[in-house]
Amino acid sequence: MTTWAGRVEGALDREVWEFLRADDAELLPYDCEATAEHAGRLAAAGLLTAEELDEVEARLAEIAQDPSGYLDSDEDVHSAIERLLGDVGRKIHAGRSRNDQVAAAFRLYVLDACAEAREAIDALALVVLSFAESEAETVMPGYTHMQRAQPITLGHLLLAWVEMLDRDRTRFAAAAEAAAESPLGAGALAGSTLELPPPPRQMRNSIDAVADRDFALDYLYGAAVLFTHLSRIGEEIVIWATSEFGFVRLPESAATGSSMMPQKLNPDVAELARGKAGTAIGRLTGLLATVKGLPLAYDRDLQEDKAPVFATRRDTRLALEALTMLVSGLEVDRARLAKAASDPLLFATDAAEALVKQGVPFRDAHEEVAASVREGTFKRPRKGSLRPAPGPDGIRAALDEARHRFVDNL
Ligand code: ARG
């Protein structure tokens, strides 16, 4: 039985029903929460008795706990909840539409997904920070264009990962802020005559309230950028773990073997994080494409908003947790890094800068050093200074500052 059965005589064709049904079971607890909020306002307006409100709240708490009540014969989670509420369910839809209801429930879902992402990002960032602390003095070649460029420390590089993750937290905070407004009271698009008390942070425009999915796009964008970061981090780990580089050894608890080649230990976690980035970007562009042509206010196309967000939430949590395990188990081959960093050519810029300090114009200094490199006569300057400092006060200060930022913000 649908919520709109009074409008039509027969049932829908099975094929049509199956096509239209929402795959939205994950929304169940959030819709219960939004429905309880709505019930409270119905009671405040005298449209539900105190006993009815108690009953609704108690039933909703049970329904939220037990997803098995949601049946294939329900059109969507909203219809299921109304049916499961029994008699009092026949009163609950006064002053609302599934259009403001689904937006309200989905916003609560996205709020939770943002909080979950931020927690998992923090956990990874703290592991990277500890790694940076133990490798603060580990010298290695820094790369541009994947060619050896200048000496750095591994700690300096790892702190760059921390910065990427810190910006990711900011993006999820912004998505949560966008999701925190309430569309309730908008009804189908033009409110209702029932004059219910407004929810906190009610959206200004009822048409926008039911049409807007920016909060979901913001979430998917935050996740797409996070995944591009995880992908770049993953790519570095893949390169470092090759026999050619040999900078790190993978922990056996976070690497995989080969079904055929007995010697292999593969960086699948890092690779799949890289692979999932493509999927995360696809989900963002998919929803952008869904929304772009829609006339205001609600259109059924918007039912497509949920699957990409559900899947992204799962991937985000799993990828961050697995990478946290991988990074915490990486074993650095410091001797190998030191050997790579002893390449005298890493100090060619220092040599040019030493000439600049003696008054030589930089371009002349660059040409002079380049000529010695070409001729194979380049010598590392005796006072070849390391530049391992990620900030003016050196790596220790940068580590302290980053730890402070993360621990305080937790
Ligand atoms: N299942 C729908 C969705 O996810 C709920 C809203 C349906 N509204 C409607 N007027 N048919 O968007």
Side-chain angles (χ1 to χ4, degrees):
M1 185 77 154
T2 60
T3 50
W4 40 270
R7 171 68 182 80
V8 293
E9 244 168 56
L12 282 181
D13 289 329
R14 188 179 54 81
E15 291 80 357
V16 172
W17 175 256
E18 277 175 9
F19 179 58
L20 291 178
R21 269 198 82 229
D23 189 5
D24 58 359
E26 250 184 273
L27 212 55
L28 188 77
Y30 303 92
D31 204 311
C32 286
E33 193 180 332
T35 298
E37 212 191 307
H38 177 66
R41 285 207 299 287
L42 285 178
L47 298 169
L48 279 186
T49 64
E51 298 75 60
E52 285 171 331
L53 179 61
D54 284 350
E55 188 193 335
V56 166
E57 285 173 350
R59 278 296 294 141
L60 285 172
E62 285 167 20
I63 296 167
Q65 292 298 315
D66 180 16
S68 70
Y70 182 12
L71 304 175
D72 286 351
S73 50
D74 292 311
E75 187 182 9
D76 52 30
V77 77
H78 324 294
S79 322
I81 289 172
E82 192 170 315
R83 176 182 59 75
L84 289 165
L85 282 173
D87 271 352
V88 70
R90 296 184 65 79
K91 289 192 162 184
I92 201 74
H93 213 55
R96 77 169 177 183
S97 150
R98 282 183 296 169
N99 300 351
D100 58 346
Q101 183 181 357
V102 72
F106 196 32
R107 281 168 179 274
L108 295 174
Y109 182 94
V110 168
L111 273 175
D112 241 14
C114 288
E116 187 178 285
R118 295 188 72 190
E119 259 172 52
I121 290 169
D122 280 343
L124 174 58
L126 287 176
V127 160
V128 175
L129 252 171
S130 301
F131 192 13
E133 270 156 8
S134 46
E135 304 303 331
E137 327 284 347
T138 307
V139 181
M140 68 181 283
Y143 295 81
T144 65
H145 313 264
M146 274 308 287
Q147 304 283 323
R148 282 183 186 165
Q150 291 179 313
I152 59 170
T153 62
L154 180 51
H156 187 173
L157 176 54
L158 293 170
L159 279 176
W161 294 6
V162 172
E163 293 302 319
M164 287 147 71
L165 295 170
D166 195 11
R167 289 194 298 276
D168 290 321
R169 300 196 303 172
T170 316
R171 269 178 285 273
F172 284 109
E177 186 54 28
E181 294 193 288
S182 178
L184 289 178
L189 81 167
S192 97
T193 57
L194 293 177
E195 292 184 10
L196 304 179
R201 301 200 61 179
Q202 187 179 41
M203 293 176 76
R204 281 182 290 272
N205 184 302
S206 64
I207 296 172
D208 178 53
V210 291
D212 171 39
R213 291 296 183 275
D214 292 2
F215 61 95
L217 292 170
D218 290 348
Y219 171 76
L220 291 175
Y221 172 66
V225 179
L226 167 69
F227 264 105
T228 56
H229 292 158
L230 300 185
S231 176
R232 295 180 78 172
I233 290 171
E235 174 66 4
E236 298 216 273
I237 294 172
V238 167
I239 291 170
W240 293 347
T242 57
S243 310
E244 285 70 15
F245 270 72
F247 286 178
V248 296
R249 271 181 297 276
L250 301 170
E252 290 185 6
S253 59
T256 53
S258 156
S259 61
M260 185 175 181
M261 299 165 283
Q263 85 283 14
K264 295 287 294 292
L265 199 58
N266 294 328
D268 288 30
V269 171
E271 291 169 306
L272 195 56
R274 196 175 60 192
K276 293 263 185 201
T279 309
I281 293 165
R283 293 194 183 115
L284 168 65
T285 54
L287 186 57
L288 282 166
T290 297
V291 173
K292 80 170 258 300
L294 297 185
L296 273 55
Y298 177 84
D299 306 275
R300 188 65 172 259
D301 316 47
L302 288 175
Q303 183 166 290
E304 286 296 289
D305 59 0
K306 281 171 265 331
V309 171
F310 292 166
T312 298
R313 178 179 184 172
R314 184 171 184 277
D315 278 351
T316 299
R317 178 171 50 79
L318 294 176
L320 283 166
E321 286 173 358
L323 270 176
T324 302
M325 297 321 291
L326 173 65
V327 171
S328 66
L330 286 177
E331 225 181 281
V332 177
D333 188 337
R334 289 184 185 156
R336 185 107 179 189
L337 283 170
K339 188 163 179 293
S342 67
D343 179 350
L345 292 179
L346 289 167
F347 296 88
T349 311
D350 297 41
E353 286 174 357
L355 293 172
V356 167
K357 285 179 195 154
Q358 291 162 24
V360 181
F362 178 73
R363 193 51 57 216
D364 295 335
H366 187 285
E367 283 167 9
E368 189 181 323
V369 175
S372 72
V373 170
R374 231 175 26 244
E375 289 152 13
T377 57
F378 174 79
K379 283 213 177 49
R380 174 181 166 169
R382 244 177 305 126
K383 268 180 51 194
S385 63
L386 263 180
R387 62 177 74 56
D393 302 322
I395 185 133
R396 290 292 162 195
L399 284 164
D400 284 349
E401 186 280 325
R403 184 162 280 283
H404 190 68
R405 209 174 343 138
F406 266 84
V407 174
D408 283 354
N409 264 358
L410 274 178

